[in-house]
Amino acid sequence: MSSASTRTTDAGTVAPPRTNVVVSVLAMAGIVVALMQTLVIPLIPELPRLLDATTSDASWVITATLLSAAVATPTVGRLGDMYGKRRMLLVSLILLVAGSVIGALSNTLAPMIVGRVLQGLAAGVIPLGISIMRDELPAERLGAATALMSASLGVGGALGLPTAALLAEYTDWHVLFWASALLGALAAALVFTLVPESRVRTGGRFDLVGAIGLSIALICLLLAVSKGADWGWTSGLTTTLFVVTAVVLAGWGWWELRNRQPLVDLRTTLRRQVLLTNLASAVFGFSMFAMSLVLPQLLQLPTATGYGLGQPMMTVGLVMAPSGLVMMAMAPVSARISRLRGPRTTLMVGAVVVAAGYGLSIVLMSALWQLMLISSIIGAGIGIAYGAMPALVMSAVPVSETAAANSLNTLMRSIGTSLSSAVAGVVLAQLTITVGTAAVPSQNGFRVVMAIGAGAALAAAVIAAFLPRRRPGAPPSGTPERPAPAEVAS
């Protein structure tokens, strides 16, 4: 984000975009990118054999995407504000296609990791899409549209699992990546053809030092969090990574506060509304991972455990899929609550619904219909809350910093989810039972993880309660007016 004065490109006499078309295309692009999160899940047990690698090395197929997404999200957001959000969205989709093609042609670990890195670099599509909506859509459509775009992250993840499982079971595994490349190319073509370039740009000089510093800090943090269990939480490597993260973040903050055109405008980020929204987003992201970690394991564990349901991956996908549809259905509900009561209330309602879902799961985890009900309730809460987060951020930052601010908010959710994964992994590793010769997570371990998820969701609701109130029906405070077409200057 930058404090540079806003410049805009020449709008000319281009007709205003068709709102429904723009929203549909951007949401479709968001869903395609979200599919990358679940693309390889059905392949995880087979990756060492498929790629002729050890189990530890094969795990980098997942970790590489996590790291590249964390690096790309804030950087692409800032570049979008500077040089055009649609332009950077297209670059992201092209990288996704390239990564998918490389993955489809891979039979060994190294090229697969390269492909997954490129796929992760497309993570900025959703915050960029939300920012384009802010620039281009009429105010009365913005709430529902951004709620739908924000929910596309969960929708793609939920719908991608059964689709990927189906393809992995009945076709060659490379088809997963060819399908991803085809969908990415279709999304890029539709964006190029139907989505206008945002008129608002900041210009200025890109903060390369800030981008490198933040990337180093994020890579060290996420490596320590994702690999700490394998390396040992008190090992020299894990400890060193945490120390480097702290030192680099301190130096990065010092640089950003003194740079006239920073990657992240920390003064804006420290505003009460932005700070609390990002904090609530991180805590809410922490709560979300419990569902995607616990429910698939409960469904797949053998019935000999006494609580596992012994279902194949395909059934897991079908049980989880309704949650994605519910997220999408909740987008207009989220927008309506925000319109009547403000996005602060919407975020609180969504967090409480998620907490209720986790609370029910502690006692309802013994049948397929129960787990489908739980995932749908949690999905409803996520759909409601996700629509509020971009609204809260955008109402507190200048229009010229929209993409960078949304990208940072998305990054905070991802960091929360990564931390949740580590905590849940530790809990499930400690609370186990023995089935035959194998140690598997106990039912109490799953209950503890779900209880942690409920507590994190309630904590997000409490944080949201301290956000500034907005009078129902009032326009979001702090949102600069969009330039009228006649006022746009090159």
Side-chain angles (χ1 to χ4, degrees), residues 130-284:
I130 292 172
S131 303
I132 291 173
M133 289 175 176
R134 184 193 192 186
D135 292 347
E136 300 299 327
L137 301 187
E140 64 272 13
R141 292 295 309 276
L142 185 59
T146 56
L148 177 62
M149 187 71 192
S150 193
S152 67
L153 179 63
V155 173
L159 298 182
L161 186 57
T163 304
L166 180 65
L167 290 175
E169 184 172 350
Y170 294 107
T171 67
D172 180 79
W173 65 273
H174 293 91
V175 173
L176 292 173
F177 290 90
W178 285 120
S180 170
L182 179 62
L183 289 173
L186 176 61
L190 291 174
V191 169
F192 181 79
T193 305
L194 301 173
V195 176
E197 179 59 88
S198 295
R199 296 166 291 168
V200 181
R201 300 186 190 180
T202 63
R205 178 180 298 175
F206 180 69
D207 180 14
L208 181 60
V209 173
I212 293 173
L214 183 59
S215 298
I216 291 172
L218 289 173
I219 289 173
C220 290
L221 173 63
L222 293 175
L223 267 180
V225 168
S226 61
K227 294 293 187 179
D230 296 332
W231 296 338
W233 292 107
T234 58
S235 69
L237 180 56
T238 304
T239 302
T240 299
L241 287 171
F242 279 126
V243 170
V244 171
T245 299
V247 172
V248 173
L249 276 180
W252 175 79
W254 177 88
W255 171 265
E256 294 297 281
L257 288 172
R258 285 156 180 77
N259 192 349
R260 295 183 61 184
Q261 297 180 5
L263 178 75
V264 177
D265 189 340
L266 293 181
R267 291 179 176 83
T268 299
T269 304
L270 292 175
R271 291 175 184 172
R272 176 184 171 190
Q273 183 160 320
V274 180
L275 177 63
L276 290 178
T277 300
N278 285 334
L279 181 58
S281 298
V283 176
F284 191 78

